[in-house]
């Protein structure tokens, strides 16, 4: 029973060792891996933000450059248009020769690279003057939006038309026009200059924004004047429903992320109004293109992080197992160091340590401590006659009888040395200890009755002592008293139980089963043995 108890204790100790070691190592390693992952995640997140910020910065720079270039060219054209409007009011202009009139009306800006002819159109829509020809075309332009807007509204100022295809050259143009008025304020026609779409294409196509980048020039009413990459079906259409105009209502420049209405690709858009003109330039960069380098870096770092975390966990588990194995082995060794290998009872070292502990505990609680000292009678003769193996079997039978009768967890059976055993009984009276000693003797007789050799040698001499610890007494006194009672039992004929007398040890426990005061022993009156 004591051996199985020791095995259970060893197993429980192993489980506790595994659990404690597992938590001591696994939790810090997991926390370290989580912290490492969090740091890497934070670095990657900051890298993503920095990548997006750089993309926005590049797009903002492009928008600023395009705005300046377009504003400068449109402003030059607008000054030329205003000059024509003012020069038409000069007296005697109609008396000048056609060549001189053109020089007076149209300055050198009318010959700019991407500018077509500047035209003067009368109130009926007929071309009356052409900056590049003394014989203007006879086409009627009254159906054009730039003609109709000025005819119907005298406060438009500079008007930017929809993109249209020239009836003469077939090229796509955008017209910039101003109203002409008679002295009485009535509509007298328009003066206009048309800019080739090639101008916008040349400025947009060299911008590198990735395979899905876009540059769009649109009017503030949503009409697209130019888009790169060029899509003819998209130019001239309305994108008023785009998210651009939600943001434009609150700020004339800014940035946002949205799905493009043209192709459904999610992009980072940076926009800005061109000076005070009704024009907006928008640069769009695909988020996939922006974050493609970041994704490659993130996947590489993420893979490395996973590998490092996995290696860390594997190493931690390996170390954990090794430490657990060592801890379990140490626990087993600790248990084995307290057990007698032959009998399975506690060894003398464990007995001495437990006795000292129980003595101090009993001193605090003023409880009795009983001790049985047990010796196998004539064991040396038996061992010499029948051999060491038979002697070992008899010792094991004695240990089994002790284990079978020592029931309480606080009780301890031990092999004291050779053929001598001890049973420590905390909080037990002298009478109860004596009764237990008799049960052990009778149990051994029954246990050995089936063995012909052991049957005649199942004899034990037992000395019983009980003390209530005091400041003057030592636990050695208890051993001395029990030992003296044991030798008394041997002297009186062996195979018997003797109780320690008052003279055998100093302050002994009270009378059997009762305490009358500290340091007083009472064995049954008129008897010193329990047979």
């Amino acid at each position: 029973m004591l051996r199985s108890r020791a095995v259970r204790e060893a197993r429980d100790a192993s489980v506790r060792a595994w659990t404690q070691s597992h938590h001591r190592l696994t939790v810090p390693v997991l926390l370290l891996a989580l912290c490492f992952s969090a740091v890497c995640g934070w670095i990657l997140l900051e890298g993503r933000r920095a990548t997006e910020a750089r993309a926005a910065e590049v797009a903002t720079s492009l928008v600023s450059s395009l705005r300046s270039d377009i504003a400068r060219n449109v402003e030059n054209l607008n000054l030329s248009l205003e000059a024509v409007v003012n020069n038409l009011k000069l007296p005697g202009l109609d008396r000048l020769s056609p060549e001189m009139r053109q020089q007076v009306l149209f300055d050198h800006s009318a010959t700019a690279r991407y500018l077509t002819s500047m035209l003067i159109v009368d109130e009926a829509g007929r071309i009356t003057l052409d900056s590049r020809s003394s014989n203007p075309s006879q086409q009627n332009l009254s159906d054009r939006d730039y003609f109709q807007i000025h005819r119907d509204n005298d406060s438009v100022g500079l008007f930017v038309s929809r993109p249209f295809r020239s009836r003469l050259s077939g090229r796509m143009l955008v017209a910039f026009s101003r109203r002409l008025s008679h002295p009485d304020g009535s509509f007298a026609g328009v003066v206009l200059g048309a800019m080739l779409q090639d101008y916008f294409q040349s400025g947009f196509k060299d911008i590198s924004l990735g395979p899905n980048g876009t540059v769009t020039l649109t009017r503030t009413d949503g009409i697209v004047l130019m888009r790169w990459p060029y899509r003819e079906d998209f130019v001239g259409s309305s994108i008023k429903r785009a998210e651009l105009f939600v943001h434009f209502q609150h700020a004339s420049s800014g940035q946002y992320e949205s799905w493009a209405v043209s192709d459904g690709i999610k992009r980072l858009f940076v926009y800005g109004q061109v000076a005070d003109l009704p024009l907006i330039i928008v640069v769009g960069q695909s988020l996939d293109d922006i974050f493609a380098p970041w994704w490659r870096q993130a996947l590489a770092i993420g893979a490395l992080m996973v590998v490092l975390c996995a290696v860390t966990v594997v190493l931690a588990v390996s170390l954990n197992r090794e430490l657990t194995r060592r801890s379990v082995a140490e626990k087993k060794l600790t248990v084995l160091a307290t057990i007698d290998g032959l009998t399975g009872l506690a060894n003398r070292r464990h007995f001495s340590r437990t006795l000292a502990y129980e003595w101090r505990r009993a001193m605090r609680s003023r409880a009795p401590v009983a001790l049985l000292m047990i010796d196998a009678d004539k064991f040396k003769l038996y061992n010499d006659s029948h051999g060491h193996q038979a002697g070992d079997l008899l010792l094991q039978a004695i240990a089994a009888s002790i284990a079978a009768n020592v029931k309480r967890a606080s009780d301890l059976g031990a092999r004291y040395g050779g053929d001598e055993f001890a049973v420590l009984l905390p909080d037990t009276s002298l009478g109860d200890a004596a009764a237990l000693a008799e049960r052990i003797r009778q149990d051994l007789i029954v246990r050995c009755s089936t063995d012909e050799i052991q049957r005649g040698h199942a004899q034990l001499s037992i000395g019983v002592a009980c003390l209530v610890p005091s400041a003057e007494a030592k636990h050695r006194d208890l051993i001395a008293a029990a030992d003296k009672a044991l030798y008394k039992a041997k002297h009186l004929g062996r195979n018997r139980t003797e109780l320690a007398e008052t003279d055998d040890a100093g302050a002994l426990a009270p009378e059997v089963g009762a305490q009358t005061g500290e340091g007083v022993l009472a064995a049954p009156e008129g008897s010193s043995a329990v047979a």
Side-chain angles (χ1 to χ4, degrees):
M1 183 179 113
L2 292 182
R3 180 182 290 274
S4 63
R5 183 189 304 169
V7 172
R8 287 196 302 272
E9 290 177 356
R11 185 172 59 249
D12 294 342
S14 300
V15 172
R16 288 194 300 271
W18 164 263
T19 303
Q20 293 172 0
S21 176
H22 178 75
H23 284 88
R24 281 198 304 269
L25 278 176
T26 303
V27 173
V29 167
L30 289 178
L31 289 176
L32 179 62
L34 287 174
C35 292
F36 181 66
S37 301
V39 170
C40 289
W42 179 79
I43 291 174
L44 289 175
L45 184 60
E46 287 299 310
R48 180 183 174 92
R49 293 189 181 125
T51 299
E52 185 174 11
R54 284 194 300 270
E57 184 179 354
V58 170
T60 301
S61 178
L62 289 173
V63 167
S64 178
S65 177
L66 292 172
R67 287 166 60 188
S68 299
D69 186 70
I70 294 173
R72 183 177 61 255
N73 284 282
V74 173
E75 181 61 23
N76 289 337
L77 178 57
N78 184 42
L79 291 175
S80 297
L81 295 177
E82 289 179 340
V84 171
V85 172
N86 292 328
N87 290 337
L88 283 173
K89 298 176 182 178
L90 294 175
L93 184 64
D94 55 346
R95 294 192 296 272
L96 297 176
S97 63
E99 293 78 8
M100 183 60 69
R101 186 165 57 244
Q102 280 188 318
Q103 290 184 9
V104 172
L105 289 175
F106 306 111
D107 60 17
H108 65 279
S109 64
T111 62
R113 179 182 175 187
Y114 292 107
L115 187 64
T116 62
S117 299
M118 293 183 65
L119 304 177
I120 296 177
V121 181
D122 64 13
E123 63 267 28
R126 296 185 298 269
I127 301 175
T128 58
L129 291 172
D130 186 336
S131 64
R132 296 190 177 181
S133 175
S134 57
N135 296 311
S137 171
Q138 298 302 309
Q139 291 191 42
N140 191 288
L141 305 179
S142 59
D143 60 334
R144 298 293 192 187
D145 62 341
Y146 53 80
F147 180 86
Q148 295 173 359
I149 192 72
H150 289 298
R151 181 193 63 194
D152 301 336
N153 193 329
D154 60 357
S155 60
V156 173
L158 180 67
F159 177 74
V160 183
S161 73
R162 285 174 173 265
F164 63 93
R165 190 173 298 279
S166 172
R167 293 168 182 164
L168 295 177
S169 64
R171 304 177 74 177
M172 293 296 293
L173 306 172
V174 175
F176 296 83
S177 60
R178 281 193 168 275
R179 175 188 171 100
L180 295 175
S181 301
H182 290 295
D184 60 358
S186 60
F187 179 64
V190 297
V191 56
L192 65 99
M195 191 174 288
L196 293 170
Q197 274 199 337
D198 292 348
Y199 161 67
F200 302 111
Q201 288 190 24
S202 66
F204 294 175
K205 69 180 181 179
D206 294 331
I207 297 175
S208 178
L209 295 172
N212 295 304
T214 61
V215 182
T216 305
L217 179 66
T218 179
R219 296 194 317 198
T220 53
D221 63 355
I223 300 300
V224 177
L225 302 183
M226 181 61 194
R227 179 189 187 272
W228 188 262
Y230 184 74
R231 278 180 49 185
E232 186 173 356
D233 62 323
F234 193 67
V235 174
S237 64
S238 175
I239 57 169
K240 188 65 177 178
R241 61 188 179 89
E243 191 174 340
L244 164 67
F245 294 96
V246 176
H247 295 274
F248 184 72
Q249 290 178 356
H250 302 93
S252 61
S253 61
Q255 67 182 63
Y256 63 95
E257 293 180 8
S258 179
W259 282 269
V261 296
S262 59
D263 52 20
I265 296 177
K266 191 171 185 179
R267 292 185 172 91
L268 170 66
F269 292 101
V270 177
Y271 69 93
Q273 185 175 4
V274 180
D276 57 352
L277 300 172
L279 300 174
I280 306 173
I281 188 75
V282 186
V283 171
Q285 299 177 83
S286 168
L287 292 180
D288 290 340
D289 295 341
I290 292 174
F291 295 120
W294 178 84
W295 273 114
R296 289 192 292 269
Q297 183 184 33
L299 290 175
I301 294 177
L304 180 61
M305 181 177 65
V306 169
V307 171
L308 290 176
C309 288
V311 170
T312 302
V313 171
V314 169
L315 291 177
V317 169
S318 300
L319 181 60
N320 193 12
R321 287 178 178 173
E322 179 61 23
L323 291 178
T324 300
R325 186 190 66 80
R326 292 184 59 183
S327 178
V328 170
E330 290 171 358
K331 291 292 183 181
K332 288 182 178 178
L333 289 174
T334 301
V335 172
L336 292 176
T338 63
I339 299 298
D340 177 67
L342 176 63
T343 63
L345 299 178
N347 58 22
R348 184 164 179 171
R349 175 186 295 179
H350 185 45
F351 168 78
S352 299
R353 186 165 54 245
T354 304
L355 175 59
Y357 169 77
E358 293 294 344
W359 186 267
R360 292 192 299 271
R361 189 170 68 87
M363 184 181 295
R364 291 192 298 270
S365 61
R366 304 183 65 80
V369 179
L371 177 64
L372 311 183
M373 295 299 291
I374 304 172
D375 186 77
D377 293 335
K378 301 179 181 179
F379 178 78
K380 186 177 185 307
L381 179 61
Y382 176 83
N383 196 55
D384 292 342
S385 301
H386 301 285
H388 291 294
Q389 289 186 344
D392 291 345
L393 290 175
L394 181 57
L395 293 177
Q396 290 173 348
I398 297 172
S401 296
I402 294 173
N405 289 276
V406 175
K407 306 288 188 181
R408 299 184 307 174
S410 60
D411 297 343
L412 180 68
R415 185 182 181 187
Y416 197 72
D419 59 344
E420 193 170 2
F421 297 84
V423 178
L424 178 64
L425 302 169
D427 198 19
T428 303
S429 67
L430 187 64
D432 291 339
L436 177 63
E438 280 304 300
R439 288 198 297 273
I440 292 174
R441 286 200 322 108
Q442 296 303 320
D443 184 275
L444 180 63
I445 294 172
V446 173
R447 195 177 296 274
C448 294
S449 63
T450 58
D451 190 302
E452 185 176 348
I453 297 176
Q454 293 180 351
R455 187 182 306 156
H457 297 83
Q459 298 180 3
L460 297 176
S461 295
I462 304 176
V464 181
C466 183
L467 286 176
V468 175
S470 64
E472 295 79 14
K474 306 295 182 182
H475 63 269
R476 293 189 299 272
D477 298 335
L478 180 64
I479 297 175
D483 201 48
K484 194 168 185 178
L486 169 64
Y487 282 98
K488 182 178 180 180
K490 285 187 172 293
H491 179 71
L492 294 176
R494 295 186 174 87
N495 193 28
R496 60 190 291 125
T497 299
E498 284 293 329
L499 305 183
E501 297 178 356
T502 305
D503 294 339
D504 293 337
L508 297 178
E511 189 171 336
V512 177
Q515 293 183 9
T516 59
E518 182 180 338
V520 179
L521 167 69
E525 186 174 353
S527 174
S528 63
V530 178

